[in-house]
Amino acid sequence: GQQLNQSPQSMFIQEGEDVSMNCTSSSIFNTWLWYKQDPGEGPVLLIALYKAGELTSNGRLTAQFGTTRKDSFLNISASIPSDVGIYFCAGQDLDSNYQLIWGAGTKLIIKP
Amino acid sequence: DAGVTQSPTHLIKTRGQQVTLRCSPKSGHDTVSWYQQALGQGPQFIFQYYEEEERQRGNFPDRFSGHQFPNYSSELNVNALLLGDSALYLCASSWLARASREQYFGPGTRLTVT
């Protein structure tokens, strides 16, 4: 099935570091959603973006809807151990009628 | 406020058997979408139900079918199970009547086909 290009695939970070990840699409999206998934759980919605250029924060998380409408970015500031998990971007293009198209995920790992 | 619930949590089936998975949407939501998530991958859209009808379908064979009930809960049925159907099946609910594009997920049903 169709997927977004999400990078990096995984990240090893020190506690307290800032984290950045992004997703790109070959088609224009009208919605970008960012989710976090812990092992054995369903994805949890973190941030929803609806307009090109939109910048939205949720605590230490900040996400942006790219101006080309083909990309989105998620930043996590001052990472803490509970940030560990897999982060997914998901988008809806103009024709998908609410179907979500997903990236392959970015796995965040805290260095011991 | 109850979130999305799914049952069962885990299921083991044999090739060729049939399985039914169940989902209750978040309170107030009217739309249910089903996704299949293979290990190490993002979810893949199976189909979406609204007003008891299938509104949209992903690239899945007819062995995958569903139903939505008047109380908005939903079932996913898979016939003639294959080993490749082993995955985490996720249900997501949303509020289509409010044109909301946010989807909220349940914990999933882990299906193992042997």
Side-chain angles (χ1 to χ4, degrees):
Chain A
Q2 181 182 358
Q3 280 197 330
L4 304 173
N5 294 316
Q6 184 171 353
S7 64
Q9 186 175 4
S10 61
M11 300 182 72
F12 290 82
I13 60 169
Q14 298 275 12
E15 185 175 347
E17 285 184 349
D18 294 345
V19 172
S20 293
M21 59 191 78
N22 68 85
C23 276
T24 59
S25 168
S26 57
S27 56
I28 292 173
F29 279 14
N30 63 3
T31 302
W32 284 96
L33 305 174
W34 283 92
Y35 288 86
K36 179 175 182 274
Q37 187 174 27
D38 292 326
E41 303 287 332
V44 174
L45 181 63
L46 301 173
I47 293 178
L49 302 162
Y50 299 110
K51 294 190 299 185
E54 180 180 356
L55 187 72
T56 298
S57 293
N58 177 7
R60 293 177 296 105
L61 278 61
T62 301
Q64 184 164 22
F65 195 137
T67 54
T68 66
R69 300 175 70 186
K70 292 184 177 182
D71 55 8
S72 180
F73 309 87
L74 175 69
N75 296 311
I76 305 172
S77 62
S79 56
I80 60 178
S82 62
D83 291 335
V84 164
I86 302 178
Y87 292 80
F88 288 99
C89 61
Q92 293 173 350
D93 64 31
L94 297 179
D95 298 324
S96 70
N97 207 17
Y98 303 108
Q99 170 187 345
L100 289 180
I101 300 165
W102 294 74
T106 293
K107 188 173 185 178
L108 200 60
I109 303 162
I110 300 278
K111 293 179 193 173
Chain B
D1 179 23
V4 180
T5 60
Q6 292 186 243
S7 63
T9 306
H10 295 87
L11 204 52
I12 299 175
K13 290 286 189 177
T14 305
R15 275 179 299 176
Q17 286 188 317
Q18 177 264 346
V19 68
T20 297
L21 310 181
R22 295 176 177 83
C23 171
S24 290
K26 184 176 168 68
S27 179
H29 284 186
D30 56 11
T31 303
V32 172
S33 302
W34 287 93
Y35 293 83
Q36 180 194 66
Q37 186 178 27
L39 207 58
Q41 297 184 21
Q44 296 289 326
F45 175 75
I46 302 175
F47 43 51
Q48 183 181 84
Y49 276 84
Y50 173 65
E51 293 187 336
E52 303 179 48
E53 290 191 357
E54 183 183 293
R55 296 183 67 247
Q56 191 171 13
R57 189 179 184 91
N59 189 25
F60 278 80
D62 292 344
R63 297 186 298 109
F64 290 78
S65 63
H67 188 76
Q68 185 179 33
F69 299 94
N71 67 353
Y72 307 118
S73 67
S74 176
E75 288 182 349
L76 164 66
N77 301 293
V78 187
N79 294 322
L81 284 167
L82 304 174
L83 294 179
D85 295 332
S86 295
L88 181 68
Y89 287 85
L90 295 163
C91 165
S93 74
S94 51
W95 198 350
L96 186 61
R98 286 195 63 181
S100 172
R101 291 170 246 169
E102 297 174 10
Q103 296 189 13
Y104 294 85
F105 284 80
T109 294
R110 173 69 64 186
L111 172 65
T112 302
V113 182
T114 62

